[in-house]
Amino acid sequence: MFRNARKHLKASIKAAKRDFTQKLLSSKKPKEVWKVIHRMLHPNPKRLAFDPNKLNTFFAATAERTLGITPSEEDERKEIEKLIDCLPLSNRKGFDVRPVLYEEVLKELRQLRSDCSTGPYQIPVKMLKPVADILALPLTNIIDTAIEKHLFPTAWKTARICAIPKGNQVTNEQDLRPISILPVLSKIYERLIYQQMTAFIEGEMIMESNISAYRKGQSTIHVLQAIRDDIVKAMKRGEVTMMILADFSKAFDTIKFKYLIKKMNHLGFSKNFLKWTLNYVSKRKQFVQIDDKLSSEVEVRFGVPQGSILGPVLFNIYVADLQSDMKMRGYQYADDTTLYCHAKPKDIENNQ
């Protein structure tokens, strides 16, 4: 009986691995396919031997290590709320969130990817999509109530962190990359807000065209082609190109809420939406899971939530004014910034 049970278990595991691999290899995205191939050719034989609580504390303190500050030095939430009330009204057309419709929520539920990882509550998408028609109405009421009260539900602010090795050799916490997995239903709420925000940003053209990341119809190819064309034109004029390539360290993790709110106010977002944004980014928590071991929850005091829908948009807003004081052309793609100018070889010293 034992041998038969063991044989059946091994066969089931083998079949599950085969089906899992075939599903991933059938993806239409080349990047995902190559990830699977790399994982198969270079498997990681060692299990992570880290204390989840210590690892969670390490990940949560990324901003403090990078910026050299402590959470006590950061403005408290009440002070930022007072700041919002005192901020001047922007000259731009204001943006505020409108209530969402049942049809919009239902559409987003049906479009959820079935292969998404489950968040901290272990609710798989496969259980949500078959009951989308029933779930959409109460979910619409929850979202509209949250919009009316300018808040993001606390239950949707907790992230499950999976530690992924950066390479084959893992000797300390710095060799691990935290992957944040958020509750599935929070993605519905974020997606609906994201659609309204991007419509405002593109419609009012409040963001320069040379900020390309996380924007529809733009990619790294557009940035590289634009830079190449400028360099080629300069060469035809007999000029050389001087370029600065910058990459922010821990860019998403080190955003300060106070400055984010100020920049959003300058771009024309209403005070009600600023309060909503503050509620969205603050009081977030995370825990680390290694195999079946869970750490305790730790509050994250800096940065936009990784793995979120709105995080990249908020980051774009945070760095949108970077080029305002620059006297040279530049392109920004997420945390990569390229600044350059052209000059005749004999005039290089005069163009420093």
Side-chain angles (χ1 to χ4, degrees):
M1 290 176 63
F2 170 76
R3 285 197 296 267
N4 290 335
R6 182 176 60 182
K7 182 179 179 180
H8 178 70
L9 176 62
K10 288 183 177 180
S12 299
I13 293 175
K14 185 177 180 180
K17 286 183 177 180
R18 183 181 63 250
D19 294 342
F20 178 75
T21 304
Q22 288 179 347
K23 181 178 180 181
L24 291 178
L25 290 176
S26 63
S27 173
K28 296 181 180 179
K29 298 181 179 180
K31 186 176 181 180
E32 293 183 358
V33 175
W34 281 111
K35 279 185 178 180
V36 177
I37 296 175
H38 179 79
R39 189 189 308 172
M40 295 170 62
L41 295 177
H42 305 282
N44 187 14
K46 295 183 179 179
R47 285 189 154 187
L48 298 180
F50 289 90
D51 180 4
N53 285 301
K54 292 182 179 179
L55 194 58
N56 194 25
T57 302
F58 177 82
F59 287 151
T62 298
E64 286 89 322
R65 292 194 307 273
T66 305
L67 300 175
I69 59 177
T70 59
S72 59
E73 297 176 20
E74 175 69 356
D75 293 324
E76 295 295 333
R77 179 174 172 177
K78 291 183 179 180
E79 294 181 4
I80 303 180
E81 289 176 349
K82 292 180 181 178
L83 172 66
I84 293 175
D85 293 331
C86 297
L87 285 173
L89 295 175
S90 174
N91 294 327
R92 297 177 181 269
K93 180 182 178 181
F95 167 80
D96 210 345
V97 183
R98 61 165 177 80
V100 300
L101 304 176
Y102 167 84
E103 291 77 12
E104 294 175 318
V105 176
L106 180 60
K107 179 181 177 182
E108 294 302 324
L109 276 170
R110 287 174 173 171
Q111 290 181 348
L112 283 173
R113 288 177 50 184
S114 299
D115 58 345
C116 289
S117 300
T118 58
Y121 306 114
Q122 300 296 319
I123 302 177
V125 176
K126 290 183 179 180
M127 292 180 61
L128 298 177
K129 297 183 76 170
V131 294
D133 295 344
I134 303 173
L135 186 61
L137 182 56
L139 187 57
T140 301
N141 293 333
I142 292 172
I143 293 175
D144 283 341
T145 301
I147 291 175
E148 181 183 357
K149 296 183 177 180
H150 319 306
L151 57 82
F152 197 87
T154 304
W156 292 349
K157 291 185 181 183
T158 301
R160 176 168 65 93
I161 304 297
C162 293
I164 305 298
K166 297 180 180 179
N168 295 328
Q169 298 295 328
V170 179
T171 57
N172 52 50
E173 294 89 347
Q174 295 181 353
D175 296 328
L176 298 172
R177 178 179 288 106
I179 303 299
S180 176
I181 304 174
L182 297 168
V184 175
L185 293 180
S186 70
K187 301 292 185 70
I188 304 294
Y189 190 7
E190 288 192 55
R191 180 73 65 180
L192 294 169
I193 300 297
Y194 168 82
Q195 293 171 359
Q196 297 186 38
M197 283 186 67
T198 52
F200 170 74
I201 291 172
E202 301 301 331
E204 297 298 319
M205 295 183 291
I206 64 174
M207 199 170 292
E208 298 293 337
S209 59
N210 53 5
I211 301 177
S212 302
Y214 316 117
R215 302 179 72 176
K216 187 176 181 180
Q218 299 196 40
S219 66
T220 52
I221 296 176
H222 296 83
V223 177
L224 293 174
Q225 286 179 337
I227 295 175
R228 182 202 62 182
D229 292 345
D230 285 347
I231 294 176
V232 171
K233 290 178 183 178
M235 292 173 63
K236 291 181 179 179
R237 297 193 301 266
E239 297 176 340
V240 295
T241 301
M242 294 163 284
M243 184 176 293
I244 299 173
L245 304 175
D247 185 3
F248 299 140
S249 179
K250 306 297 182 182
F252 282 71
D253 298 320
T254 54
I255 288 179
K256 295 184 178 180
F257 305 150
K258 175 181 177 181
Y259 301 126
L260 174 64
I261 294 300
K262 284 185 175 181
K263 293 180 179 185
M264 292 182 68
N265 173 72
H266 178 71
L267 292 176
F269 291 90
S270 69
K271 291 187 178 182
N272 286 336
F273 188 69
L274 297 184
K275 293 178 181 178
W276 185 95
T277 304
L278 177 61
N279 187 279
Y280 169 76
V281 297
S282 61
K283 300 295 182 181
R284 284 187 167 268
K285 295 182 179 181
Q286 67 179 38
F287 66 89
V288 169
Q289 180 175 0
I290 299 179
D291 295 331
D292 59 344
K293 298 179 181 179
L294 305 179
S295 72
S296 57
E297 294 183 356
V298 173
E299 185 174 340
V300 182
R301 298 177 179 270
F302 297 91
V304 294
Q306 291 192 18
S308 64
I309 305 296
L310 292 176
V313 182
L314 295 177
F315 178 80
N316 271 353
I317 293 173
Y318 194 74
V319 299
D321 59 347
L322 179 63
Q323 300 180 43
S324 59
D325 295 328
M326 299 291 181
K327 297 181 180 180
M328 58 181 70
R329 188 170 176 79
Y331 285 90
Q332 293 172 247
Y333 196 93
D335 54 353
D336 294 315
T337 302
T338 303
L339 301 171
Y340 58 92
C341 62
H342 316 291
K344 298 285 186 180
K346 62 180 182 180
D347 298 330
I348 289 180
E349 293 184 0
N350 298 327
N351 285 273
Q352 291 181 351

